[in-house]
Amino acid sequence: MMKGLPIFFFTCQKCGGHLIDTIINFGDVLEEDIMKRAKEEAKKSDVMMILGSTVTVTPASDLVTMGTQALKLIICNRQKTPFDDICNEVDAVTRRARGSRVFGDCDMLMREVMKCILSQETYEEWQSGREERLKEYDAKRVV
């Protein structure tokens, strides 16, 4: 685990793809090694999920468009973002939307996502560790 950046790595039970869960809270120090790793991972991604952010603060907001050519965006936030329109764009090849835009609660969305990609046992383990993760995140926050 990198200093200051909690990372949880999951493998999707259906497609075998990987989900890397990282969190940087507003006001946290964005250290150079963290930003370097974030750029490396963003460039490899074909799906970017943005939770609880208006995606307006750089340099983190720059990560959104670094993914592969066919990047898909999933944005869950209560406010509009500059990238909302990309979610609704139709891919010329697949004729499907390039993403999804959810105006709602991030925790509720992630519970549903994790139910779909994890085995029941792994999901229950993930869900049972929620309170501990929240304490860990709060302890690392810069006040």
Side-chain angles (χ1 to χ4, degrees):
M1 182 174 351
M2 296 172 60
K3 179 182 169 203
L5 184 63
I7 297 178
F8 301 98
F9 185 78
F10 300 100
T11 301
C12 177
Q13 299 295 307
K14 293 181 180 176
C15 71
H18 303 294
L19 171 67
I20 300 173
D21 173 15
T22 60
I23 293 177
I24 302 252
N25 289 305
F26 187 79
D28 285 355
V29 176
L30 190 56
E31 298 168 7
E32 188 175 327
D33 60 329
I34 293 171
M35 192 61 191
K36 181 181 177 198
R37 170 81 191 274
K39 286 179 182 179
E40 290 169 1
E41 294 299 331
K43 288 176 183 176
K44 295 187 289 187
S45 67
D46 56 353
V47 176
M48 175 100 39
M49 182 179 278
I50 301 153
L51 302 171
S53 173
T54 56
V55 204
T56 56
V57 179
T58 60
S61 63
D62 297 336
L63 297 171
V64 174
T65 56
M66 289 184 182
T68 64
Q69 189 77 15
L71 179 69
K72 295 170 181 62
L73 293 179
I74 301 165
I75 302 173
C76 180
N77 191 51
R78 295 180 193 275
Q79 297 87 20
K80 291 182 178 184
T81 81
F83 298 95
D84 290 352
D85 290 342
I86 293 174
C87 295
N88 297 319
E89 285 179 6
V90 175
D91 183 280
V93 176
T94 65
R95 304 225 184 257
R96 300 174 88 182
R98 289 188 54 202
S100 295
R101 182 57 172 93
V102 178
F103 286 91
D105 183 85
C106 298
D107 285 346
M108 290 175 64
L109 174 66
M110 283 311 299
R111 276 193 291 275
E112 295 305 314
V113 167
M114 299 306 263
K115 281 180 193 176
C116 293
I117 67 172
L118 300 177
S119 68
Q120 183 66 29
E121 181 181 333
T122 305
Y123 171 77
E124 289 171 5
E125 181 182 328
W126 174 79
Q127 187 63 16
S128 70
R130 183 176 186 276
E131 291 302 318
E132 191 60 36
R133 286 193 306 275
L134 289 174
K135 288 178 190 174
E136 185 179 323
Y137 298 155
D138 286 344
K140 292 180 180 182
R141 294 189 78 174
V142 176
V143 180

